Amino acid sequence: MNAVDLSVQIGRLKLKNPVMPASGCFGYGEEYAPYYDLSRLGAIVVKGTTADPCPGNPPVRLAETPAGLLNAIGLQNPGAVAAAAKINKLGALGIPVIVNVAGHSTEDYCRAVRILETESTASAYELNVSCPNVASGGMAFGTRPETTAALVKKVRALTDRTLIVKLSPNVTDIVAIARAAAEAGADALSLINTLLGMAIDIKTRRPVLANLTGGLSGPAVKPVALRMVWQVTSAVEVPVIGLGGISNADDAVEFMLAGATAVAIGTANFRNPYACPEVIDGIAGYLRHNGFASVTEIVGLAKKERPGGEHGAGKTDYCP
Amino acid sequence: MNAVDLSVQIGRLKLKNPVMPASGCFGYGEEYAPYYDLSRLGAIVVKGTTADPCPGNPPVRLAETPAGLLNAIGLQNPGAVAAAAKINKLGALGIPVIVNVAGHSTEDYCRAVRILETESTASAYELNVSCPNVASGGMAFGTRPETTAALVKKVRALTDRTLIVKLSPNVTDIVAIARAAAEAGADALSLINTLLGMAIDIKTRRPVLANLTGGLSGPAVKPVALRMVWQVTSAVEVPVIGLGGISNADDAVEFMLAGATAVAIGTANFRNPYACPEVIDGIAGYLRHNGFASVTEIVGLAKKERPGGEHGAGKTDYCP
Amino acid sequence: MPVGDYRIKEIRKVADGIFRLAFAGNMEAEPGQFLQVAVGRTHDPLLRRPLSIHDCVDGEVVLLFHPAGRGTNLLAEKKPGDSLNVLGPLGKGFPLPAGQTAVLVAGGIGIAPLFYLAKVLKGAGKEIVFLAGARDTGSLYIPPELPALAADLRFTTDDGSAGRRGLVTEELPAILDRIKGEVYACGPLPMLREVARIARNSGVPCHVSLEARMACGVGACQGCTVAAVAGDWQKYKRVCVEGPVFGSGEVIL
Amino acid sequence: MPVGDYRIKEIRKVADGIFRLAFAGNMEAEPGQFLQVAVGRTHDPLLRRPLSIHDCVDGEVVLLFHPAGRGTNLLAEKKPGDSLNVLGPLGKGFPLPAGQTAVLVAGGIGIAPLFYLAKVLKGAGKEIVFLAGARDTGSLYIPPELPALAADLRFTTDDGSAGRRGLVTEELPAILDRIKGEVYACGPLPMLREVARIARNSGVPCHVSLEARMACGVGACQGCTVAAVAGDWQKYKRVCVEGPVFGSGEVIL
Ligand SMILES: Cc1cc2nc3c(=O)[nH]c(=O)nc-3n(C[C@H](O)[C@H](O)[C@H](O)COP(=O)(O)OP(=O)(O)OC[C@H]3O[C@@H](n4cnc5c(N)ncnc54)[C@H](O)[C@@H]3O)c2cc1C
Ligand SMILES: Cc1cc2nc3c(=O)[nH]c(=O)nc-3n(C[C@H](O)[C@H](O)[C@H](O)COP(=O)(O)OP(=O)(O)OC[C@H]3O[C@@H](n4cnc5c(N)ncnc54)[C@H](O)[C@@H]3O)c2cc1C
Ligand SMILES: Cc1cc2nc3c(=O)[nH]c(=O)nc-3n(C[C@H](O)[C@H](O)[C@H](O)COP(=O)(O)O)c2cc1C
Ligand SMILES: Cc1cc2nc3c(=O)[nH]c(=O)nc-3n(C[C@H](O)[C@H](O)[C@H](O)COP(=O)(O)O)c2cc1C
Ligand code: FES
Ligand code: FES
């Protein structure tokens, strides 16, 4: 069994393997610690953290859909100060700890980052710019290139730690937003966050979620996520963390072939608490089986090997 | 067994029930005719038709995904003249025949409609404005309110037949586009078309589809479609035909409770050729079981019955 | 082992809308804890289903469930010999009563965890009053061992087709007046509310087992929350880890 | 009936990577036609899987399949007594040969439709040469009835572990030189290309059964196309209705 090199680089972070849990699907790590040694992970990404404590949305917060999950947790978290204590404990794992940061307004985001800069030993921030109820006229930061860029610049000025921007898929042109984030100083991009969705209970004749709408995740969204990873990695230079519907190593390999440098696993943890370590082992198995010495060799390979060599975002359907 | 009134009105079309097959999933009706009497349908929607014949994309054109289907047929169709002959034959069914119309450029669309106006007895047009390879700088008509409105106005001027505009879900703000289409003269809206997605074969390390990307349909997309139907019917007055992932009567009822006046069924036909008539019977059963006399009573009911009565598009996830 | 594949030994319908499923396995579980059961192996249905431990003896674990929707309907189609993938036991179970007597109130499928609780309480030498309610005689399931466990076992049906006619909670005030035992309840929310109210009036502690839609079952997703009474920022508690058993005063029912 | 639930009578592995599944049912099917088989009942896997009719007798229909991915792997787990939902028979089968002799060339699982074709040809009084190729002896499956049907039956394996060593197509030119029979082929695309080339050189008609990913199976989605030789706007033909059997000169292999 020949050794394969699984390490990848995301900004200043050197990851020993490209697999991490997705924000909001792994708490602050405590819950999955009984299942395996968390230091096996490439990195750990913790729950969306806001400057102030946040109680979250009222129940019902979850609805199952075909091969998918709708959630409307509403960012329940103890706030940046209390989160910092939990984050610092994770430092003992010896792997990069990435904090997902959220807020209502630019000031909210900045305040959270300032607190985490002084109080926490976090290795990196993942800016969650897909929050629609914000100061700038009700439009989400992450749905316009200008607002994305403005926020990223502000946060960039506050920290030398690795800055990842997590993009919303609920947009017409993901590439424009990715470019704006990269140009404004993001070291890396994460995509995708959840697709906005809804479910209605035909017995009560009311929306299932108290919040009415929720975020769709899980295998159902994988084709959309993969397409966006392909498009964005064809257009920007910064590394991309691919996620959305990954539930096994084959899915993870698909994302890396599409151009992702690393992958994150969210909803799959709920079905299978061992999803992350199984994906790590499975990627190594794929590389060995196919004669690759390093995982970086397969990043974007589906673009490179394609005959014709047209590396763009592809033509689209429904056109003669 | 008390009778229930299933009839609904879409523009000038009186449908005896709110169920129709979705464009591209039912050919020109011929293929499903052996399975049941097609005159049972509320209406029939035929394949996307272009002014000139169109050979479609090279294979591979299909990829199965979790609870979903990616397709890149590429509008294979015999062109408006030959299609008109097939459409006219369907007239014998005595139900409205809706022709899905597509094109590269404004002129393409208009030419197709002009041919169909003179050559066909079609009852209505469904403008497919989600084609991205168009004259106006590579942006799809359906991803910008202005281009959508301009096209709808041009076509509106050509016909008195019912004009339905079929919206693309691959946009940041579906409501803005829906408003633009309605204001430009659309009698009704259809939503959603497919979500842009992708699949990669990890054995060949190439995209599965020859076209690289494809349109995602099927149960996987249902939560996204339902959310958009809810949002659009909260904002515009024209009737909406809801579709995207409907596979049984419960799904259809969900869409109608969300605000759809009628529903269309695409991918589900492939698994179950009887999907359409089963949905018709199932809706009638639901109405009887719950004491409704007419299907119009449940249209948008999930908004009306909600305590608090806030009828907007709902707050969104990931916000404190 | 927290995730395992077990072999189904027996599965059968024991009453209208109630299935009993026994699988081979050894588990150490508290009464009130639950398992996250995978009903299939494909991506649909996606999530595991939470089901209470109904019995747990040497080499065998038993579930009792009502086919309520897609997932539990699929579960009801399993056959002996099929494998069942299970995560658990999970959650916080029922605490032992401080005193000698416990009053268990089961509504419908709520009997699932309360039977196992009765067994454990009996083993701990406690005296048990057991009230079981159901819609009608067809849907009333009394596990064969239960009569031997409960000093006082009473049934109620909505239509009077078995036991007393009426609601399971109607006799509770009189019983609590008499014995002041600690109350344990599982059943529909309106029943739990009523049980909690009666217990409060009688001044006895009351433990309720709650249901919520779950994704992870282990506390990671924060999807399964119930409104908490405690006044800090944390307005919600997770049913899967802080529960499913709560003191009726801890949560807003 | 075009869609039906059938009861599985027997399912077993008959060779490495080959399962034989027999279900109770009466169908009128031409050789070369296929069924759209639902492998599960939930939304995942979503689509039916196209499988050729391997045999069709009074009261029984037989499939022969290679577990190639998620869907066919799930199918391989079915048990006798399970129900199987099937749409079909579908598609255009093999035409009878104009002359007296037919040469059937099967590569791997390609034997599935060709066995049924051999039966029907034999019934029509035709003489059959049957060439069957496989990777090795373990994965070579020769239906027990086949030797009685074919006047001349030859096996080939890639590694020579059974029959002649080499490719199934290698003997074809000599055979066609001798008998000029009409050729029928099913197997991997490279094999079909080679068979078509040899038949063209020998000046005999050649019928190939093609595979394509399918959604509807009935001609409605236009997803299963193959490039056609004909020169009009219709560059593509649908494998599910214009095929799966094509004259080798009709399509671009
Ligand atoms: C800790 C716990 C223990 C439980 N123990 C048992 C038990 O021992 N026996 C038993 O029969 N049931 C039990 N339940 C309820 C059981 O989990 C649900 O009935 C089941 O998950 C429904 O799944 P489904 O796919 O059949 O229904 P779905 O199709 O998912 O839903 C059917 C209906 O059930 C409701 N529902 C869905 N999930 C839940 C849920 N987790 N809790 C309550 N309602 C839900 C939905 O609102 C819907 O109206 C328990 C629930 C919890 C949280
Ligand atoms: C008309 C027709 C008749 C067939 N008859 C038989 C038969 O008798 N026995 C048999 O074993 N197989 C037959 N096949 C092939 C069979 O349909 C596929 O192997 C099967 O659909 C794969 O499904 P899966 O879920 O197992 O694999 P997937 O996981 O969907 O795919 C596994 C691999 O198979 C390929 N594949 C997927 N679908 C098809 C397809 N429709 N055709 C060819 N390759 C595909 C994919 O590219 C992938 O590499 C036939 C196909 C057609 C079109
Ligand atoms: C229950 C739940 C909570 C989530 N919370 C957050 C969050 O706090 N911040 C964030 O950026 N994304 C959050 N997400 C989105 C995930 O991180 C991920 O982007 C998405 O679920 C897609 O990946 P998946 O399909 O692997 O789950 C959450 C997702 C789920 C299911
Ligand atoms: C194979 C296939 C072909 C399609 N062709 C068209 C088309 O020609 N025009 C169009 O507007 N939509 C087309 N669609 C989209 C469907 O009409 C429908 O909007 C979409 O599939 C979502 O519905 P569903 O989930 O019920 O399939 C096609 C979809 C599929 C699966
Ligand atoms: S189900 Fe995930 S926190 Fe309880
Ligand atoms: S599979 Fe739909 S046209 Fe052939």
Side-chain angles (χ1 to χ4, degrees), chain A residues 60 64 201 203-204 208, chain C residues 17-19 32-36 39 45 47-54 63-74 90 109-113 186 209-214 224 239-240 243-245:
Chain A
V60 172
E64 189 189 59
D201 184 327
K203 288 197 205 102
T204 62
V208 174
Chain C
I18 304 191
F19 281 73
Q33 285 193 300
F34 66 98
L35 301 176
Q36 279 278 69
V39 294
L47 301 173
R48 292 171 180 272
R49 298 299 193 259
L51 293 173
S52 300
I53 291 172
H54 176 57
L63 305 173
L64 195 74
F65 67 94
H66 168 58
R70 297 184 69 218
T72 45
N73 278 322
L74 285 167
L90 300 170
I109 193 71
I111 197 146
C186 186
S209 175
L210 298 187
E211 292 191 358
R213 287 162 189 252
M214 292 187 178
C224 63
V239 171
C240 67
V245 175

Side-chain angles (χ1 to χ4, degrees), chain A residues 31-32 62 73 270, chain C residues 34 36 212-225 237-242:
Chain A
E31 289 82 7
Y32 287 106
L62 297 174
I73 308 300
F270 307 156
Chain C
F34 66 98
Q36 279 278 69
R213 287 162 189 252
M214 292 187 178
C216 69
V218 302
C221 75
Q222 309 196 81
C224 63
T225 44
K237 295 199 176 195
R238 294 166 298 181
V239 171
C240 67
V241 286
E242 277 100 37

Side-chain angles (χ1 to χ4, degrees), chain A residues 22-25 46-49 62 69-71 73 75 100 102 126-128 130 166 191-194 215-219 221 243-246 264-268 270, chain B residues 317-318, chain C residues 215 220-223:
Chain A
S23 175
C25 301
V46 303
K47 175 72 194 160
T49 300
L62 297 174
L69 171 66
L70 281 170
N71 89 80
I73 308 300
L75 278 179
N100 185 271
E126 180 182 62
L127 277 196
N128 177 353
S130 46
K166 183 161 177 186
L191 50 137
I192 60 172
N193 210 317
T194 52
L216 182 66
S217 64
V221 309
L243 75 161
I246 297 177
I265 293 166
T267 306
F270 307 156
Chain B
D317 197 14
Y318 305 142
Chain C
C221 75
Q222 309 196 81

Side-chain angles (χ1 to χ4, degrees), chain C residues 41-44 77 79 82, chain D residues 41-44 77 82:
Chain C
R41 291 190 310 135
T42 73
H43 294 307
D44 180 54
E77 289 175 17
K79 293 175 191 138
D82 284 355
Chain D
R41 291 191 309 135
T42 73
H43 294 306
D44 181 55
E77 289 175 16
D82 285 355

Side-chain angles (χ1 to χ4, degrees), chain B residues 64 201 203 208, chain D residues 32-35 39 45 48-54 63-74 109-110 112-113 186 209-214 239-240 244:
Chain B
E64 190 189 59
D201 184 328
K203 286 197 204 104
V208 174
Chain D
Q33 284 194 301
F34 65 98
L35 301 175
V39 294
R48 292 172 180 270
R49 298 299 193 260
L51 293 174
S52 300
I53 292 173
H54 176 57
L63 305 173
L64 194 75
F65 67 94
H66 167 58
R70 297 183 69 216
T72 43
N73 279 321
L74 286 166
I109 193 71
C186 186
S209 175
L210 297 187
E211 294 191 356
R213 290 164 187 250
M214 291 186 178
V239 171
C240 69

Side-chain angles (χ1 to χ4, degrees), chain A residues 50 54 57 65-67 70-75 104 128 130-133 139 143 170-172 193-207 211-216 219-220 222-224 226-227 230-231 250 253-254 257-258 286 290 292 301-302 305-307 310 312-320, chain B residues 50 54 57 65-67 70-75 104 128 130-133 139 143 170-172 193-207 211-216 219-220 222-224 226-227 230-231 250 253-254 257-258 286 290 292 301-302 305-307 310 312-320:
Chain A
T50 47
C54 171
N57 288 329
T65 68
L70 281 170
N71 89 80
I73 308 300
L75 278 179
H104 284 289
N128 177 353
S130 46
C131 172
N133 296 332
M139 269 300 264
T143 55
N170 301 296
V171 297
T172 309
N193 210 317
T194 52
L195 283 165
L196 203 55
M198 190 169 194
I200 289 175
D201 184 327
I202 67 164
K203 288 197 205 102
T204 62
R205 292 190 276 278
R206 285 179 172 73
N211 189 53
L212 306 186
T213 57
L216 182 66
K222 198 185 76 169
V224 175
L226 199 69
R227 181 262 298 180
W230 173 284
Q231 288 181 322
D250 287 2
V253 168
E254 258 193 275
L257 291 170
Y286 178 87
N290 292 283
F292 295 104
L301 201 55
E305 287 198 353
R306 195 153 45 76
E310 226 246 359
K315 290 182 294 154
T316 338
D317 199 11
Y318 305 145
C319 263
Chain B
T50 48
C54 170
N57 289 326
T65 69
L70 281 171
N71 88 80
I73 308 300
L75 281 180
H104 283 289
N128 178 352
S130 45
C131 173
N133 297 334
M139 270 298 268
T143 55
N170 302 295
V171 297
T172 309
N193 210 316
T194 53
L195 283 165
L196 202 54
M198 189 169 193
I200 290 173
D201 184 328
I202 66 165
K203 286 197 204 104
T204 62
R205 291 191 275 281
R206 284 178 173 76
N211 190 53
L212 307 188
T213 57
L216 183 66
K222 196 185 78 170
V224 175
L226 200 68
R227 181 263 296 182
W230 173 283
Q231 289 180 323
D250 287 2
V253 168
E254 258 192 273
L257 291 169
Y286 178 89
N290 291 283
F292 295 104
L301 202 56
E305 289 199 352
R306 197 152 44 77
E310 227 244 359
K315 292 181 292 151
T316 339
D317 197 14
Y318 305 142
C319 265

